[in-house]
Amino acid sequence: MIRVLSSILAALLLAGCVSMNVVSDGADSRLMLKGYDPVAYFTDGKPVAGRPDIKADHQGVTYRFASEDHRRLFIANTAKYVPQYGGFCANGMVYAIPIGGEPENFKIIDGRLFVFGGIRPRLYFEMDQERNIKLADYYWETEASDADWRWQSLKRVWI
C-alpha cells in the first residue's frame, strides 16, 4: 500500500513534465543533445558542439548549431535531424525505460539518429538491431513519449 501511495505521489509531483533528455546551460533551460549540433551527426559523422548564439526551438526544447547552414537544414527538415526517443538511450527504450543518453555515443541507422548511454548499451542494441528498433519504437509511441521520463522509469522498474 505504501508503495502504491508513493508511486501516486511521485506521479502527481512529476505531472506536466515532458519526456525529453535535456540539460540546462546558460540561457537555455531545456537544451537538447547537451548543446551538440544535431545536423553535424549527419554531415560530419561526429558530435560537434553547437554555438549558443546559433539555435532553434523545436517541440519545447532548444537545439544549438555549429553554423547558420546547419540551422537552416534543421529548420527545413526537423524530423530528419531530431534524435530518436527524445534523446534518451535507445537501448533503454527497448525496455520502455527512458534513461541516459549521452550524445557522444550515437549511431545513425536508416537515416535516424540514435543516442546511447555508453558503448555497452550500443553494443547490446546492435546485437539484434532490427528487433530492438521495433521494440523501442513501439514503447516510445505507446508509453514513453507522452510520459514524464522519471515516472516512466519508476513505473517500469518498480511497479
Side-chain angles (χ1 to χ4, degrees), residues 13 34 50 126 151-152:
L13 290 173
K34 293 186 178 177
E126 291 172 337
W151 168 245
Q152 179 66 24

Side-chain angles (χ1 to χ4, degrees), residues 25 106 109:
D25 182 50
F106 75 98
I109 305 166

Side-chain angles (χ1 to χ4, degrees), residues 1-13 151 154-155 158-159:
M1 180 69 166
I2 292 175
R3 192 179 195 180
V4 172
L5 290 174
S6 297
S7 297
I8 292 170
L9 178 61
L12 292 173
L13 290 173
W151 168 245
L154 178 70
K155 178 177 86 170
W158 295 107
I159 298 175

Side-chain angles (χ1 to χ4, degrees), residues 109 125-137:
I109 305 166
F125 189 84
E126 291 172 337
M127 290 170 74
D128 195 348
Q129 186 171 284
E130 185 177 325
R131 176 185 168 275
N132 288 335
I133 289 173
K134 286 179 184 175
L135 277 171
D137 285 349

